[in-house]
Amino acid sequence: MTSGGATTKHVDDKIGPELNSNSPLHTPGYTWPFVNGPHQWCPGEHKFFGWLAQDANMTASNTPETFFGGGFTFDEATHVLTIPQVTFTKDTPQFDFMYSDIFTTEPINTPVPLEFKHLFSAFYITGENKQDDTEYDITSITISGLNNTQSATIDFGTGDVTPVVTYTDNTGSPGEFFFDFSGTDTTLSKEDGQKTLTGTYLMWPQKREYFTDAKLTLNYNYGGVAAPAKEIDLSSMAAWEPGQVKKLNLVFNVDQITFIIEELVAWNDNEKNIPVQM
């Protein structure tokens, strides 16, 4: 967490809910104290901003320096945070990096409010069977062609409330996520409704043009017999925005032989359907 004027750093510290504080402004569950606080105000305008220093949900690589490597740097002169190149695969540690907005204020006698945003997007896969008296057993799913190697910069030097985030498309092989469901219960019946098939996986945001060569390959058994593999073209997929979790819902309906990619536009938004004819 840093604060200060346009060129001078006044506070460089960390905050967290597990810390103790003697400050009368600290309310557990509402405000977080500083590691080295409390700090005193000095006259003038102050800018507050920060980023995730540790992901408590992870068991390894739970700091940005460990996860991103030595290229994770903050330029004190320009206030630009550099996020080095990372390649996301199914086995990449799920480090949900977050950064704050910019709060500018004169000295105040209330807590400093900061709103945090997610740097990455995410996705998971579900299946739904709409056919009576028929079951489908999903054996494997492969998603290929995603732009899973990128880097970014976060510019806190702007005078605006929102820092400027720039994503850079880096050179790398298109990403492939292969899900083998051997030994797991992936049988779909109509009574199941939407059944979750995979966990949730972080991914760099995807522009719509990134899906030009992307596809989903589905292998499944029908009536106890392996059906021909189905390839679903993802080129019409809408962009995956930062802070959005996409639900890829495969809907089986024998009458129409149609699979549907359904996307959950955001954590708290409504759903949209994108029909894909086979």
Side-chain angles (χ1 to χ4, degrees), residues 4-9 45 47 76-79 157:
T7 59
T8 303
K9 179 169 62 176
E45 185 179 82
K47 278 187 176 181
E76 298 283 1
T78 63
H79 291 175

Side-chain angles (χ1 to χ4, degrees), residues 55 58-64 66-67 93 95:
D55 189 342
M58 298 179 63
T59 57
S61 302
N62 62 340
T63 67
T66 303
F67 180 76
F95 188 83

Side-chain angles (χ1 to χ4, degrees), residues 75-140:
D75 190 312
E76 298 283 1
T78 63
H79 291 175
V80 173
L81 181 67
T82 297
I83 310 295
Q85 174 178 309
V86 171
T87 298
F88 275 111
T89 68
K90 188 165 64 72
D91 299 318
T92 302
Q94 299 297 287
F95 188 83
D96 185 14
F97 185 75
M98 301 179 70
Y99 61 94
S100 78
D101 58 9
I102 303 168
F103 182 75
T104 304
T105 182
E106 298 282 341
I108 54 178
N109 194 33
T110 57
V112 173
L114 290 178
E115 179 178 341
F116 282 79
K117 299 177 175 63
H118 297 268
L119 182 67
F120 305 121
S121 60
F123 75 94
Y124 67 102
I125 304 175
T126 61
E128 184 176 7
N129 179 6
K130 292 190 173 182
Q131 189 70 17
D132 290 320
D133 304 321
T134 302
E135 290 188 344
Y136 300 90
D137 182 28
I138 312 300
T139 57
S140 70

Side-chain angles (χ1 to χ4, degrees), residues 145-150 168-170 172-175 203-206 210:
L146 297 179
N147 187 356
N148 64 325
T149 303
Q150 298 182 44
T168 301
D169 180 12
N170 296 111
S173 300
M203 173 56 62
W204 285 101
Q206 301 288 299
Y210 290 168

Side-chain angles (χ1 to χ4, degrees), residues 191-210:
E191 293 74 21
D192 292 330
Q194 288 190 10
K195 188 172 185 176
T196 300
L197 302 176
T198 71
T200 302
Y201 294 91
L202 291 172
M203 173 56 62
W204 285 101
Q206 301 288 299
K207 298 178 181 178
R208 184 167 183 176
E209 56 264 31
Y210 290 168

Side-chain angles (χ1 to χ4, degrees), residues 165-234:
V165 181
T166 303
Y167 294 91
T168 301
D169 180 12
N170 296 111
T171 301
S173 300
E176 180 175 285
F177 285 74
F178 174 69
F179 300 95
D180 182 2
F181 299 114
S182 302
T184 60
D185 179 16
T186 53
T187 299
L188 303 178
S189 62
K190 187 174 182 180
E191 293 74 21
D192 292 330
Q194 288 190 10
K195 188 172 185 176
T196 300
L197 302 176
T198 71
T200 302
Y201 294 91
L202 291 172
M203 173 56 62
W204 285 101
Q206 301 288 299
K207 298 178 181 178
R208 184 167 183 176
E209 56 264 31
Y210 290 168
F211 293 106
T212 300
D213 298 318
K215 64 181 179 180
L216 183 150
T217 303
L218 172 69
N219 288 281
Y220 65 100
N221 295 330
Y222 168 58
V225 179
K230 299 293 184 182
E231 287 193 354
I232 301 175
D233 180 10
L234 301 182

